[in-house]
C-alpha cells in the first residue's frame, strides 16, 4: 500500500521533537547495538550461530554397580542366561544424617544440609535414578535386534511445595502431550509415533529350537489290498536361526524320523529318514545394510544420553525446589517472629493503658482500642504459627523418605541460613552472554537435539521401508535313509525289493548324511512388491512431519530460554531494589514508632497514633521479609535456567547417581541470621538516600 503525499524524510522530520521538548524528554529505550552476524549452521542464514549443547558427563550414569547393557555371559555357565536378575530394593528409611541434625527436639537445618539430604532421600530423585538402569535395558534389547520399550524422561514432580521455573515438554513428537507408553495422546486415545519405524531389524539372537514327538496311529482299512495297519513314529527335529546386522539370516534344520509299521506295503520297518539343510538369506533392498539393522542400538544409546540429561534436569529442578521450600520456611519463621514482636508491643501498650485508666489519666475507649489490637495480633500470630508448621512439614517431606518417625515428623525445623545480598556475577553480565550460557548448559536443549538425531534415524529407515522386498537365498543340504527290510512285504508284481545299499541303523544314516552321498542345493530370489505401498508412504511422510515438529520445538525452547533468562535478570534487579526499599521503609517505621512512643509517654500523642505506627512497622517488616524471599527464589530460578547450580554448588552428578554424597555442596551467598536492629536515633542531618 502506498501512502499518498508521502515524501522521503518526512517521517524523520515528523519524529524529530522541537529543541525545547528535547531538553525535558527522557529516553526510555536505547538503540540496540549492532551484533556480529554469522550464518546459523542449522537452518537460518544471516543470524547468529546457536552454540551446540554440552552433553551430560560422564556417560553412563549408573545407580548400581551392575551394567545392564550387558547380559549374563554364555560361558562358562550357559544356564545363567535363563536365571532372573534381582534388582536391589529401594531404601525406604531416612538417612542417618537427618537424625544427626536433631538437637533438643528441634531440627537445626542449614541450606547445605537441606540440599544434601534431598540428594540422598528425595523420592523424585530416587525415581529418576532408577530410570538410568531402565535405559540400559533398552540398549541390551537393541543388541538383540528387538524393538525399544522406551524410558520415561519427564520431570518427576511429586514433592509438595516450592514452585520452580523450568521448561517442560511432552514425550510425543515436538513436545506434544505424553500419553500411555510415552507417545502423544490424541483426542481418541493413544497416538503412536513413527519413532523406531521402518523395516524390522534382524533378530541377532542365536535361537535353537527343537521338537521331539512320539506318535502311535492305527489306519483303518479302506480296501481289500490295504489292510488295517498300526504304526509308531518318533520325530526329533531341530533348528538353529541367527540374524546378522548386514541384513542376513542363517538357518540350519536337522530333521529325523523313525517309524515302525505293521503295513506290508512299507519297504522298511523301522524306517529312518534324516535331512540336514543350511539356508543363507540376504536382503538386497528393504532391510538391507548394517546401519538399518543396528539403528535401534544407536537410538537406544541416544535415549541413554537423554536419560542422563533428564537426570541432570531432575537434580536441577529438585535442588531448586528444595531451595524454594527452604526460603519459604525462612520467610514463615521470620514472619512468626515478627508477629510475636508485634503482639509483645501491642500487649505492652494495652498493659500501660490499663494502668493509666486506673489512675484516671486515660479514657476507657483507648483501652478498648488497644485490647482490640492485641486480639488482632493474637489472631495474626496463630495464623503465622500454623503457616510455619506447614512449611516445616513441607521441608521435612522434601528431604526425607519416612515421616512415620514422630521425632522427625513433629520436630520444629529451625533454618540457620539467610540469603546474602551480594551481587551475583550474572546480574552484571550482558544478557546475550547469559542466553548463550543457557543454550549451552540447559538439558532441555540437549534432549531436543538428541531427539532430533533419533528422528533422522527414523526418517532414513522409513525411506528404506518404501523399497520392495528382494531377498537372495542359497541352501545346501543332504538326506539319507536307513531301515530294516520288511519281513512280509506285499508283492504287487513290480518285483521291487529293498535296496541292499541302505544301512540298517541310524549310525549308517548319519554317515551317509554327512558325507553328502545324496546332496540337495540351490539358489533363488524372493520378490515382494506392494503395488500401492500406501502404509509405507504414510509412515515415511509422517516421520518427516514429526521431525519438523522437533525442529520447531527446539527453536521454541531457544525462545523460551531467552525470555526466561531476560526476565530472571530483570527480576533480580527489581528484587534488589525492592529489598533495599523495604529495609529502608522498615527502618523508618521503627524510628517513627520509637518517636511516637516517646511522645505518648510524654502525653503528646494518642493510643491511636501509637497503634497506627505499630501497624506500619508490622507491614514494613512483612514487606521486607517478602522482598527478601522473592530475591532468594529468583536467584535460585536464574541459576536453574542457566543450569549452573550443580557446578556452582560443587555437586558431583556421578556420586548422586550412585545415591551417595561424599562431599557436601558449597552454596555461596549465605549469611547467618541476625535479630532486627534497634531503631537508629534521629539526627539533624539524615544520611543520604540509598543509590
Amino acid at each position: 500500500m502506498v501512502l499518498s503525499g508521502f515524501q522521503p524524510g518526512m517521517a524523520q522530520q515528523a519524529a524529530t521533537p522541537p529543541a525545547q521538548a528535547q531538553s525535558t524528554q527522557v529516553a526510555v529505550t536505547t538503540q540496540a547495538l549492532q551484533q556480529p552476524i554469522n550464518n546459523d549452521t542449522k537452518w537460518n542464514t544471516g543470524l547468529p550461530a546457536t552454540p551446540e549443547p554440552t552433553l551430560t558427563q560422564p556417560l553412563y550414569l549408573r545407580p548400581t554397580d551392575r551394567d545392564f547393557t550387558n547380559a549374563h555371559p554364555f560361558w562358562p555357565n550357559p544356564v545363567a542366561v535363563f536365571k532372573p536378575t534381582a534388582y536391589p530394593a529401594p531404601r525406604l528409611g531416612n538417612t542417618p544424617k537427618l537424625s544427626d541434625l536433631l538437637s533438643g527436639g528441634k531440627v537445626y537445618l542449614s541450606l547445605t544440609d537441606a540440599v544434601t539430604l534431598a540428594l540422598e532421600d528425595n523420592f523424585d530423585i530416587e525415581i529418576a535414578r532408577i530410570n538410568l538402569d531402565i535405559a540400559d535395558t533398552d540398549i541390551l534389547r537393541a543388541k538383540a535386534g528387538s524393538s525399544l520399550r522406551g524410558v520415561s524422561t519427564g520431570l518427576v514432580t511429586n514433592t509438595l511445595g516450592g514452585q520452580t521455573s523450568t521448561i517442560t515438554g511432552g514425550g510425543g513428537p515436538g513436545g506434544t502431550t505424553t500419553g500411555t507408553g510415552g507417545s502423544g495422546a490424541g483426542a481418541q486415545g493413544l497416538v503412536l509415533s513413527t519413532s523406531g519405524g521402518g523395516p524390522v531389524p534382524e533378530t541377532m539372537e542365536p535361537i535353537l529350537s527343537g521338537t521331539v514327538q512320539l506318535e502311535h496311529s492305527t489306519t483303518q482299512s479302506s480296501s481289500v489290498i490295504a489292510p488295517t495297519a498300526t504304526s509308531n513314529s518318533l520325530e526329533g527335529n531341530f533348528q538353529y536361526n541367527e540374524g546378522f546386522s548386514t541384513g542376513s539370516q542363517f538357518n540350519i534344520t536337522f530333521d529325523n524320523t523313525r517309524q515302525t509299521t505293521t503295513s506290508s506295503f512299507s519297504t522298511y520297518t523301522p524306517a529312518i529318514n534324516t535331512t540336514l539343510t543350511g539356508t543363507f538369506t540376504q536382503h538386497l533392498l528393504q532391510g538391507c545394510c548394517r546401519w538399518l539393522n543396528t539403528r535401534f542400538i544407536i537410538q537406544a544409546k541416544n535415549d541413554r544420553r537423554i536419560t542422563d540429561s533428564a537426570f541432570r534436569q531432575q537434580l536441577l529442578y529438585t535442588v531448586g525446589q528444595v531451595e524454594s521450600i527452604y526460603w519459604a520456611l525462612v520467610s514463615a519463621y521470620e514472619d512468626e517472629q515478627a508477629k510475636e514482636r508485634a503482639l509483645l508491643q501491642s500487649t505492652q501498650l494495652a498493659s500501660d493503658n490499663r494502668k493509666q485508666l486506673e489512675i484516671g489519666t486515660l479514657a476507657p475507649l483507648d483501652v478498648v482500642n488497644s485490647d482490640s489490637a492485641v486480639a488482632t495480633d493474637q489472631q495474626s500470630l496463630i495464623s503465622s504459627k500454623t503457616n510455619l508448621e506447614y512449611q516445616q512439614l513441607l521441608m521435612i517431606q522434601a528431604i526425607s523418605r519416612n515421616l512415620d518417625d514422630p521425632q522427625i515428623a513433629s520436630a520444629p525445623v529451625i533454618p540457620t541460613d539467610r540469603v546474602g545480598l551480594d551481587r551475583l556475577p550474572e546480574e552484571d553480565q550482558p544478557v546475550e552472554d547469559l542466553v548463550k550460557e543457557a543454550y549451552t548448559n540447559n538439558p532441555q536443549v540437549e534432549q531436543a537435539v538428541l531427539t532430533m538425531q533419533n528422528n533422522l534415524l527414523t526418517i532414513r529407515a522409513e525411506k528404506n521401508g518404501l523399497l520392495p522386498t528382494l531377498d537372495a537365498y542359497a541352501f545346501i543340504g543332504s538326506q539319507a535313509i536307513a531301515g530294516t527290510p520288511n519281513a512280509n512285504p506285499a508283492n504287487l508284481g513290480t518285483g521291487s525289493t529293498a535296496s541292499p545299499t541302505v544301512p540298517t541303523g541310524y549310525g549308517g544314516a548319519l554317515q551317509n548324511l554327512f558325507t553328502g552321498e545324496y546332496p540337495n542345493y540351490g539358489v533363488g530370489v524372493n520378490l515382494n512388491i506392494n503395488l500401492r505401498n500406501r502404509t509405507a508412504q504414510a509412515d515415511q511422510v509422517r516421520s518427516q512431519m514429526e521431525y519438523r515438529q522437533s525442529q520447531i520445538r527446539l527453536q521454541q525452547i531457544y525462545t523460551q530460554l531467552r525470555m526466561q533468562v531476560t526476565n530472571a535478570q530483570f527480576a533480580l534487579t527489581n528484587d534488589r531494589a525492592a529489598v533495599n526499599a523495604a529495609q529502608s521503609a522498615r527502618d523508618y517505621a521503627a524510628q517513627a514508632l520509637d518517636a511516637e512512643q516517646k511522645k505518648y509517654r510524654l502525653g503528646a500523642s494518642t493510643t491511636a497514633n501509637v497503634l497506627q505506627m505499630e501497624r506500619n512497622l508490622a507491614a514494613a517488616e512483612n514487606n521486607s521479609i517478602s522482598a527478601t524471599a522473592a530475591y532468594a527464589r529468583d536467584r535460585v530460578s536464574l541459576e536453574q535456567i542457566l543450569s549452573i547450580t550443580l557446578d556452582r554448588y560443587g555437586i558431583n552428578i556421578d556420586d548422586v547417581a550412585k545415591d551417595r554424597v561424599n562431599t557436601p555442596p558449597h552454596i555461596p551467598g549465605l549469611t547467618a541470621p541476625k535479630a532486627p536492629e534497634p531503631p537508629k536515633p534521629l539526627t539533624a542531618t539524615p544520611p543520604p538516600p540509598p543509590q
Side-chain angles (χ1 to χ4, degrees):
M1 181 175 64
V2 179
L3 298 177
S4 123
F6 179 80
Q7 299 294 333
M10 291 183 62
Q12 182 178 1
Q13 295 173 6
T16 303
Q20 183 178 1
Q22 286 182 350
S23 62
T24 60
Q25 286 183 339
V26 178
V28 295
T29 59
T30 57
Q31 183 178 2
L33 298 178
Q34 187 69 26
Q35 299 290 335
I37 299 299
N38 299 313
N39 286 337
D40 192 332
T41 56
K42 294 181 175 61
W43 314 295
N44 304 313
T45 57
L47 295 178
T50 305
E52 292 294 331
T54 301
L55 297 179
T56 301
Q57 296 293 336
L59 185 76
Y60 302 116
L61 300 173
R62 289 196 174 90
T64 57
D65 295 332
R66 173 71 188 275
D67 182 2
F68 290 95
T69 64
N70 296 319
H72 290 288
F74 188 75
W75 296 110
N77 184 12
V79 181
V81 300
F82 306 108
K83 294 182 178 180
T85 300
Y87 196 77
R91 175 177 55 85
L92 300 179
N94 297 325
T95 178
K97 295 179 182 178
L98 182 57
S99 300
D100 295 341
L101 300 176
L102 191 64
S103 177
K106 298 179 180 180
V107 176
Y108 292 89
L109 188 70
S110 67
L111 182 56
T112 298
D113 294 331
V115 172
T116 302
L117 291 171
L119 294 176
E120 293 186 354
D121 278 1
N122 186 268
F123 282 118
D124 291 349
I125 294 179
E126 180 63 17
I127 292 173
R129 188 179 283 123
I130 297 178
N131 283 336
L132 301 172
D133 281 340
I134 292 178
D136 281 348
T137 62
D138 255 3
I139 297 179
L140 185 59
R141 285 179 59 87
K143 290 178 179 178
S146 299
S147 60
L148 307 182
R149 295 192 180 277
V151 58
S152 300
T153 56
L155 287 174
V156 186
T157 58
N158 298 325
T159 300
L160 301 178
Q163 299 297 323
T164 63
S165 175
T166 188
I167 300 174
T168 59
T176 51
T177 304
T178 301
T180 304
S183 300
Q188 302 300 322
L190 181 64
V191 177
L192 298 177
S193 165
T194 60
S195 178
V200 179
E202 291 294 329
T203 300
M204 290 176 281
E205 289 279 84
I207 298 175
L208 178 64
S209 58
T211 302
V212 177
Q213 176 179 296
L214 181 62
E215 180 182 2
H216 172 81
S217 65
T218 302
T219 305
Q220 184 177 1
S221 175
S222 60
S223 67
V224 295
I225 63 173
T228 300
T230 300
S231 63
N232 295 299
S233 61
L234 174 63
E235 294 184 6
N237 301 328
F238 303 93
Q239 189 174 34
Y240 177 87
N241 287 282
E242 184 175 2
F244 301 93
S245 60
T246 54
S248 311
Q249 188 179 55
F250 182 61
N251 171 271
I252 298 178
T253 58
F254 182 42
D255 295 341
N256 300 271
T257 303
R258 182 183 187 279
Q259 184 179 42
T260 61
T261 180
T262 60
S263 172
S264 58
F265 291 96
S266 176
T267 305
Y268 300 99
T269 180
I272 300 172
N273 290 277
T274 178
T275 61
L276 178 64
T277 304
T279 305
F280 182 82
T281 305
Q282 174 65 53
H283 299 303
L284 300 180
L285 294 177
Q286 186 181 131
C288 173
C289 306
R290 184 181 298 275
W291 70 265
L292 183 69
N293 290 278
T294 59
R295 73 183 189 277
F296 283 172
I297 299 177
I298 300 174
Q299 183 172 339
K301 290 182 178 180
N302 284 340
D303 290 346
R304 186 56 164 87
R305 284 195 174 274
I306 292 175
T307 307
D308 281 5
S309 176
F311 184 71
R312 179 165 67 96
Q313 184 184 6
Q314 184 70 55
L315 294 185
L316 291 169
Y317 177 85
T318 303
V319 169
Q321 187 179 23
V322 168
E323 288 192 78
S324 296
I325 295 174
Y326 188 88
W327 296 127
L329 173 62
V330 170
S331 298
Y333 184 77
E334 293 188 343
D335 181 70
E336 190 268 346
Q337 290 183 320
K339 295 298 189 296
E340 286 185 350
R341 291 192 296 269
L343 177 60
L344 181 62
Q345 292 171 347
S346 60
T347 302
Q348 183 64 44
L349 179 62
S351 176
D352 294 343
N353 286 349
R354 287 189 177 278
K355 292 178 181 179
Q356 295 187 42
L357 178 64
E358 291 175 358
I359 62 177
T361 60
L362 194 68
L365 184 59
D366 287 337
V367 175
V368 174
N369 192 8
S370 60
D371 288 346
S372 175
V374 171
T376 300
D377 289 343
Q378 286 176 339
Q379 187 274 332
S380 298
L381 178 59
I382 292 174
S383 176
S384 181
K385 283 182 177 294
T386 55
N387 178 56
L388 174 59
E389 290 177 1
Y390 182 66
Q391 293 297 330
Q392 290 172 336
L393 188 60
L394 285 178
M395 189 77 259
I396 288 295
Q397 63 90 32
I399 62 176
S400 65
R401 295 192 183 183
N402 194 333
L403 294 180
D404 294 335
D405 185 353
Q407 289 185 333
I408 297 297
S410 61
V413 182
I414 311 300
T416 61
D417 282 330
R418 300 294 183 269
V419 64
L421 296 179
D422 297 335
R423 293 186 67 85
L424 294 177
E426 289 75 21
E427 294 185 63
D428 302 318
Q429 279 186 252
V431 67
E432 285 299 324
D433 293 345
L434 296 181
V435 168
K436 291 180 180 179
E437 190 172 4
Y439 287 173
T440 302
N441 295 332
N442 195 279
Q444 279 293 102
V445 176
E446 176 188 3
Q447 295 167 35
V449 170
L450 291 171
T451 298
M452 290 175 60
Q453 294 179 11
N454 286 342
N455 292 147
L456 291 175
L457 281 175
T458 300
I459 289 175
R460 193 177 177 189
E462 294 288 6
K463 182 179 179 181
N464 182 268
L466 291 169
L467 301 176
T469 301
L470 178 61
D471 297 340
Y473 64 91
F475 62 90
I476 184 172
S478 178
Q479 58 183 350
I481 61 174
T484 302
N486 195 343
N488 298 305
N491 189 349
L492 299 179
T494 60
S496 61
T497 59
S499 173
T501 61
V502 173
T504 59
Y506 183 63
L510 289 180
Q511 182 178 0
N512 288 343
L513 181 71
F514 288 106
T515 55
E517 290 289 336
Y518 305 97
N520 178 30
Y521 49 85
V523 296
V525 174
N526 286 328
L527 178 63
N528 185 358
I529 302 177
N530 190 329
L531 298 181
R532 301 291 297 273
N533 216 20
R534 288 176 288 188
T535 300
Q537 288 181 6
D539 288 345
Q540 185 273 327
V541 71
R542 177 167 177 157
S543 65
Q544 292 267 354
M545 297 173 184
E546 292 175 356
Y547 177 68
R548 299 307 179 199
Q549 285 182 321
S550 298
Q551 285 181 316
I552 297 171
R553 175 55 182 159
L554 177 59
Q555 194 62 33
Q556 185 182 45
I557 291 175
Y558 285 140
T559 303
Q560 290 175 329
L561 284 175
R562 176 176 291 276
M563 297 299 296
Q564 288 185 347
V565 168
T566 305
N567 183 60
Q569 193 181 49
F570 288 162
L572 278 183
T573 302
N574 295 336
D575 291 340
R576 182 177 295 280
V579 169
N580 292 331
Q583 288 180 344
S584 298
R586 189 265 169 200
D587 293 342
Y588 166 76
Q591 291 175 330
L593 174 60
D594 182 62
E596 200 67 33
Q597 287 174 337
K598 292 178 180 178
K599 291 167 59 179
Y600 178 75
R601 285 192 288 269
L602 295 174
S605 184
T606 64
T607 300
N609 289 341
V610 174
L611 290 176
Q612 181 61 48
M613 292 303 169
E614 288 181 353
R615 285 192 289 268
N616 291 347
L617 177 59
E621 286 189 332
N622 184 70
N623 291 338
S624 178
I625 293 171
S626 299
T628 305
Y631 170 78
R633 288 193 298 267
D634 288 339
R635 191 178 74 169
V636 172
S637 178
L638 176 59
E639 291 175 345
Q640 181 181 346
I641 294 170
L642 297 177
S643 303
I644 60 176
T645 305
L646 304 183
D647 293 335
R648 176 160 292 179
Y649 293 178
I651 297 175
N652 188 310
I653 188 174
D654 195 25
D655 288 345
V656 179
K658 293 181 173 62
D659 193 14
R660 58 172 181 251
V661 181
N662 298 322
T663 304
H666 173 70
I667 303 177
L670 302 178
T671 62
K674 59 181 180 178
E677 297 180 359
K680 299 178 181 178
L682 297 175
T683 62
T685 56
Q691 300 296 325

